[in-house]
Amino acid sequence: MIVATTREELAKARQDLSGRVAVVPTMGALHAGHVSLLKAARSGADHVIMTLFVNPLQFGPNEDLATYPRTWARDLAIAEAEGVDVIFAPAEAEMYPNGAPAVRIDPGPLGGILEGASRPGFFHGVLTVVLKLLHLTRPDAAFFGEKDYQQLTLVRAMVRDLDLGVDIVGVPTVREPDGLALSSRNTYLSAEQRVTALALSRALAAAAAVGGQGAAAARAAAGEVFEGTPGASLDYVVVTDPDLGPAPEQGPARMLIAARVGTTRLIDNAALRL
Ligand code: AMP
């Protein structure tokens, strides 16, 4: 496995990869969710590049950029075990040599709702770094988790609208046995808060159980779970169509939830049939 920390080293390593190349962008602090992406990439391509970069552009001024977990040595060992060919792990000055970029990707209207409404500028930062990483790694396919469903949707839209010519593959969310979606930010939770955080996956299950009664019933069922869970404060719970448009009367849909447990903000989502 080659560890490239500069764009030049990456370009050299990339030249030696032939056949179908997949990229898995991450911010490190790898868990079983990331491993699932790496395995999917491994089986869908001849070579896998994993990027490891905590992107300052997508953190708000009061967010957790400074405390975001960094487990570099462990991440490298996991990547190696999963058959990653090249890791690209640039420092901030390597990724943004001219400082924070003045030119950024506008995510459009879908970037202003849900996570974009709660975290202004978030998707500008996400799409800008994803575009740079796609240019630098020149993959045939890029793998993203459904855990960040709005991000996956917006990356697909960017690739389509800007003719990037990269296959975007969505990978199902990996959960703990009790339903909690794996997240690097789960490490912020105390044992008690971790139990409280189950409200998100329980709300999604409660909504799915009544999906046949329509979107309002699904939202109400999810809301009830939060009313019965002191310590979890709901930011939003919405039902959309699978592309984040308005919920259909019936058929395939998506429920997305964001909630705060203590100071930790958590998101989750699941497919739903109305
Ligand atoms: P992050 O390091 O948090 O930026 O995540 C890197 C990639 O892993 C993103 O595409 C995420 O959607 C994906 N990911 C994060 N958590 C999970 C999970 N529990 N299951 C599947 N994919 C995940």
Side-chain angles (χ1 to χ4, degrees), residues 221-239:
E224 269 171 36
V225 171
F226 278 88
E227 277 157 32
T229 312
S233 91
L234 195 55
D235 183 350
Y236 61 75
V237 52
V238 298
V239 182

Side-chain angles (χ1 to χ4, degrees), residues 24-28 30-34 36-37 58 68 143-148 151 171-175 181-184:
V24 179
T26 82
M27 299 205 300
L30 300 188
H31 51 62
H34 298 106
S36 171
L37 262 61
Q58 69 191 67
Y68 195 84
F143 287 69
F144 292 87
E146 288 185 353
K147 163 72 170 46
D148 300 285
Q151 166 176 284
V171 178
T173 301
V174 177
R175 298 177 180 280
L182 294 185
S183 164
S184 306

